[in-house]
Amino acid sequence: MTTKYIFFTGGVVSSVGKGLTAAAVGRLLKERGFNVAVQKLDPYLNVDPGTMSPYQHGEVFVLDDGAETDLDLGHYERFIDISLSRVCNVTTGQVYAEVISKERHGDYLGGTIQVIPHITNEIKRRIGMVSKATGAEIVLVEIGGTVGDIESQPFLEALRQMRSDLGRENSLYIHVTWLPYIGATGELKTKPTQHSVRELRSIGISPDMIVARSDHPVDDDLCAKIALFCDVERRAVVPLVTTPVRYEVPLVLEDLGIGDYLMQRMGLQARQQPDWSAWKRLVDEVKRPRPKVKVALVGKYVELHDAYFSVREALEHAGMALGVDVEISWVQSSELEKGRGWEMVQAAHGVLVPGGFGSRGVEGKIQAIRYAREQGVPYLGLCLGMQLLVVEFARHLMGSDEPNSTEFDRSTEYPVIDLMPDQRSIADMGGTMRLGLYPCELQPGSRAAQAYQKTMVQERHRHRFELNNAYRKLLSDGGMVFSGISPDGRLVEIAEISNHPFMLATQFHPEFLSRPNRPHPLFLAFIEAVRQRAGNEQVAD
Ligand code: GLN
């Protein structure tokens, strides 16, 4: 079939859940038997978010092919249960870098290079790459930011042109807006939506559907008003009220008839009846009052929960599967160094140290790991969380504070974590880490092998440093088990501590592969240990 495109633009304000809406729409289409992919267009000049601070941007989501992408790609993968490709995240930086390098190469010899058509053509070329790379029959394209931003203009212009390139049946524009609530009069306002649609029209795009996001119920009259003023069918005005459970959004959209409406608009027949039974069970499970267990997430960017989005999700997925409600205590590791915040760690049934960069708060994380080891509290370490487990354990075995990672102390006498040899000569910071899927062989009988029920796994990576093999013997003689190793034997990918209820850490990022319907085995094993500890505490009370 001809590839169909659905474009998502934002109006009024950002952060109203455009990415989630796109992900949910993707699920509606997948449920009808179509092959779907989602692409995010980010109008900033960085080539990718890999060099940005998580405070600026939230989590950097890593794909199988090693692309460092926007966290919305995580929503897409989790909601639709697909694996995306690096062509699915495009930035202004990538587009300009390509056009300028072609110009230097002489590809446009004799011409003047301009935003229209050269930049817009490059944007269109990249949109066109998605179906080839992923095999998608329907490509959903989300533009970051809101209509009216200077940065997004070339992207919107490219989308405008695509309607005449593709035809009406093959291109659909969904505009996601926000209805502000005026407390004094208790009403929702449609005026900003009207304005943003007018703005979109002035660029030459008429939306086919308006998703009106709101924190309050939206009545039918209001939808009719939006339809009238914004010139869309009443059926195509979708009131999307904030739900406490993110995973409910596809069900809400299905109930509003959006899946069938989209089929009709694109001239498609559903290939199968959507079957939401498993999805509904998930949502019911989240809504059901479940016993609470507490996990202390000891990190550096804890003020911004988005910085650990996939970790949060993976914990929730495991909790859903095991019938417990995982509550996260966000612990700032630099505070622990000053003796503050320990009550949160002590009240938790498990400790998790996620990935991170730079030295701030590292000692606090090490102290939290020591606490977990000494008190027998379940511990899961992710990437930096594994490296610091190794540092802590080496310090304990050697009875010295000297062992360290050379990321934090270049001249340490005991560099138990060090740069990978192939990283030594790299000067550029962007896209040069060890990135993406790598195989890992599990040691039979280890905790990791028990959790996975496999001997070989593939996991996503994003790091420069690794365990220094010169210390493997010392560490394993002391009770550390290297339960996951790269098939060539060179790199330690999983470390465990024997003689402990659960202390396991990975050099990779398991959180990126967890799905609501398929929780990650290591998160499951961790939460199972956390649940046992919580249960034991209750008995002791
Ligand atoms: N900073 C560490 C490294 O580069 C850990 C990276 C991470 O946690 N993602 O190896």
Side-chain angles (χ1 to χ4, degrees), residues 240-251:
L240 188 56
V241 181
T242 308
T243 59
V245 181
R246 267 192 300 282
Y247 290 110
E248 213 172 350
V249 177
L251 300 178

Side-chain angles (χ1 to χ4, degrees), residues 14-80:
S14 60
S15 309
V16 297
K18 185 157 32 91
L20 273 185
T21 308
V25 167
R27 185 77 210 192
L28 295 180
L29 301 171
K30 186 182 180 185
E31 285 294 328
R32 284 167 169 74
F34 293 93
N35 223 322
V36 183
V38 195
Q39 182 182 45
K40 175 93 191 274
L41 308 178
D42 276 316
Y44 49 69
L45 279 160
N46 302 58
V47 168
D48 62 44
T51 52
M52 279 186 229
S53 156
Y55 281 128
Q56 292 270 322
H57 189 273
E59 165 183 281
V60 174
F61 190 80
V62 181
L63 304 181
D64 283 350
D65 62 14
E68 298 175 274
T69 71
D70 186 80
L71 61 76
D72 273 327
L73 276 86
H75 295 319
Y76 309 152
E77 286 202 345
R78 285 186 286 265
F79 268 77
I80 314 176

Side-chain angles (χ1 to χ4, degrees), residues 249-269:
V249 177
L251 300 178
V252 173
L253 293 181
E254 184 68 79
D255 284 347
L256 290 166
I258 304 311
D260 294 339
Y261 180 76
L262 290 174
M263 287 292 107
Q264 189 199 326
R265 270 290 283 101
M266 293 189 287
L268 294 172
Q269 290 285 333

